[in-house]
Every structure is written in structure tokens, then in C-alpha cells.
Amino acid sequence: MIRFSGELVHWEAQGTEPQFRYLDSTNLREKTIFCDADTMRLALGNQSPEKRHVEGKATQISPTSDVWVCVGRPHIFQKYQVSINSPASQSKRIQGQVVEADGETGQIVYLVRGKRSYLTIEPALAKEMAESLSQMQTVEINGDYRYDRIKRYYTKD
């Protein structure tokens, strides 16, 4: 007896040989497992077989046979993947009045309710802010910024 687990590739509950094929994640080969029609109907229920994973137990008909038969009911489920690039964790909302800006390094100083905060942004954007500040204009920073690890500064989303 073996335990199997993998992505469901093909599903055939009706017909003379009810079976399903799955992609074995250990060797990336498709394997076919035969089950009776009732077990397969119960396992899949009313869900569609697309983008599903299957796991369960199977046994060989005979020790030398390549035919595998399911033992019990296979468990069919959908795998959920968590995205690393979730905007909530990667970007931050920045809002305040810019009081200092360095066009060379891209570092700015902005006020949020009287508190000074420091941020390194795109140097070209900081240079524009510095020019506006030199003309005694009020400069606001407002938006979602994401840190770019390669450039090593925050970029506007």
C-alpha cells in the first residue's frame, strides 16, 4: 500500500473503468488510480476537478501489477497559495508636508501632525520637491509607496 498526493490531472467517474490521474509531485509523473464510481462521486461531490489536489491511499492488484486501486475514499481539495507580493505588507501609505528634500540622495523630511519623519524616495522626485521648496511653495507627499530593494528607495505605486 502507498500514500499518494499530487495535482489532479484527469477525472473519469462514469464509464467502464472509473479512474483519476494525478501528477506525482515527487517524480513529476502522471499516475493512474482506479476507484469504483460511487467512491469517486462521493470524493469529488459537486466540485469541478480543475485545479484540485488529491491525496489518499492505493494498493496494487497484485505484487507485480502496475494497476493501482484506491483504498478508501481519496481526499480532493483545492490548494491555496499565499502571495508574497501582497500590497498590504509591501506598500505603505505616506501622507504629510515635506519640509526638506535632497535631490542627490532622494532623502526627504516630512511632517505628520508635527512629528518629523524621514524617507528615501526616487531622487528625481525629491529634486522636484527641493525646487518647489526653494521657491517657498508648500509641498505635500500623499500616496502609497513601495520599497524597491534593488534601487534601495521607495517608489510611488
Side-chain angles (χ1 to χ4, degrees):
M1 187 173 337
I2 61 160
R3 285 188 150 293
F4 62 86
S5 174
E7 186 180 342
L8 193 57
V9 178
H10 177 75
W11 183 266
E12 197 174 306
Q14 282 82 28
T16 55
E17 296 180 327
Q19 59 178 294
F20 63 88
R21 283 197 315 269
Y22 73 97
L23 186 63
D24 191 344
S25 55
T26 55
N27 58 14
L28 296 175
R29 289 198 179 139
E30 278 189 20
K31 290 189 177 175
T32 303
I33 301 210
F34 294 89
C35 281
D36 63 282
D38 291 336
T39 302
M40 291 189 47
R41 249 193 321 278
L42 286 170
L44 193 64
N46 58 0
Q47 51 187 330
S48 69
E50 286 83 38
K51 299 214 187 243
R52 301 280 176 192
H53 280 67
V54 62
E55 60 184 28
K57 294 178 187 169
T59 187
Q60 291 171 295
I61 288 181
S62 68
T64 57
S65 173
D66 278 344
V67 178
W68 291 88
V69 181
C70 63
V71 175
R73 190 167 83 189
H75 176 58
I76 295 169
F77 58 99
Q78 187 166 8
K79 260 192 182 172
Y80 293 99
Q81 289 185 323
V82 178
S83 172
I84 294 170
N85 294 338
S86 65
S89 65
Q90 294 286 323
S91 75
K92 65 183 196 177
R93 183 110 182 114
I94 299 167
Q95 195 170 1
Q97 182 180 348
V98 179
V99 290
E100 294 176 35
D102 184 345
E104 298 297 313
T105 62
Q107 185 163 18
I108 63 167
V109 179
Y110 64 101
L111 297 176
V112 181
R113 286 185 237 111
K115 182 180 172 244
R116 290 169 71 91
S117 297
Y118 299 85
L119 185 72
T120 304
I121 61 171
E122 188 176 348
L125 189 57
K127 189 173 186 174
E128 286 176 25
M129 290 177 177
E131 287 171 8
S132 297
L133 287 170
S134 70
Q135 297 168 6
M136 301 302 279
Q137 294 176 345
T138 304
V139 178
E140 297 282 328
I141 185 167
N142 187 1
D144 292 321
Y145 286 80
R146 180 183 310 262
Y147 188 71
D148 189 323
R149 292 192 332 219
I150 296 165
K151 296 176 182 173
R152 295 183 21 213
Y153 57 74
Y154 281 87
T155 58
K156 191 167 174 83
D157 276 357

